[in-house]
Amino acid sequence: AQSVTQLGSHVSVSEGALVLLRCNYSSSVPPYLFWYVQYPNQGLQLLLKYTTGATLVKGINGFEAEFKKSETSFHLTKPSAHMSDAAEYFCAALNTGGFKTIFGAGTRLFVKA
Amino acid sequence: DAGVIQSPRHEVTEMGQEVTLRCKPISGHNSLFWYRQTMMRGLELLIYFNNNVPIDDSGMPEDRFSAKMPNASFSTLKIQPSEPRDSAVYFCASSYQGLYEQYFGPGTRLTVT
């Protein structure tokens, strides 16, 4: 992947509402794709990843993402937001056979009570 | 598994002083990455080691920065002399080839006054 674009640096949802965080990558060959979450004063931790196979991948904390090759997208969703989901989320891509993971700029998710 | 360990967690130093950040990767991982995170520039890859050998240091800002990995269980990032613009959170991450996702440490928050 040459770049990873996350649409929206900030997203605000109400508790219980759908969470949708958008990610698009640019690459001629579909890369491996990841979503990481970063809570305040912590390092990034893996939410989920797509390598091969099923295009809908499920991760921790009820999150899932769908790889759509035709749209070069890997959007992250969760049906019902919880206050504890408030964090920064990073989409990332790694070219197959490569080592350098390209991270998006991050999307900060706010959850309103 | 203790995860990636970084020390110190916080470092405050004066401009011109030498700073050494330390990292212990997850046992069995053979790839190690140093990142810098700031509000302005986001997450930047500084250097990547594979099997203790530096593979790509193109992200190292300038000659004031150096990194070593004397063995599979220890790495250091040194800044000499430090400058206020080096203030950031520095993360170390490790991975095992074939799994591809990276495991991040808690970070070192560096403040240079």
Side-chain angles (χ1 to χ4, degrees), chain A residues 36 38 43-44 49 99 101, chain B residues 37 48 91 99 101-102 104-105:
Chain A
Y36 289 84
Q38 184 179 28
L44 283 68
K49 66 178 179 180
F99 69 87
T101 299
Chain B
Q37 186 179 39
Y48 159 64
F91 289 104
L99 293 181
E101 64 267 29
Q102 296 180 20
F104 283 74

Side-chain angles (χ1 to χ4, degrees), chain B residues 39-61:
Chain B
M39 290 291 291
M40 291 296 293
R41 302 173 70 94
L43 195 64
E44 302 173 276
L45 176 65
L46 300 178
I47 188 168
Y48 159 64
F49 290 89
N50 191 54
N51 294 323
N52 310 337
V53 175
I55 302 300
D56 185 349
D57 64 355
S58 60
M60 296 286 261

Side-chain angles (χ1 to χ4, degrees), chain A residues 12-69:
Chain A
S12 182
V13 300
S14 297
E15 193 173 21
L18 171 71
V19 176
L20 171 60
L21 304 183
R22 299 177 188 275
C23 173
N24 289 87
Y25 65 91
S26 67
S27 176
S28 57
V29 177
Y32 297 137
L33 296 162
F34 310 86
W35 276 99
Y36 289 84
V37 60
Q38 184 179 28
Y39 298 103
N41 300 315
Q42 294 185 26
L44 283 68
Q45 55 184 282
L46 183 72
L47 263 182
L48 49 81
K49 66 178 179 180
Y50 169 78
T51 53
T52 59
T55 57
L56 181 64
V57 293
K58 295 184 185 300
I60 61 173
N61 301 336
F63 284 92
E64 61 182 36
E66 186 171 12
F67 167 62
K68 292 187 176 180
K69 182 179 177 180

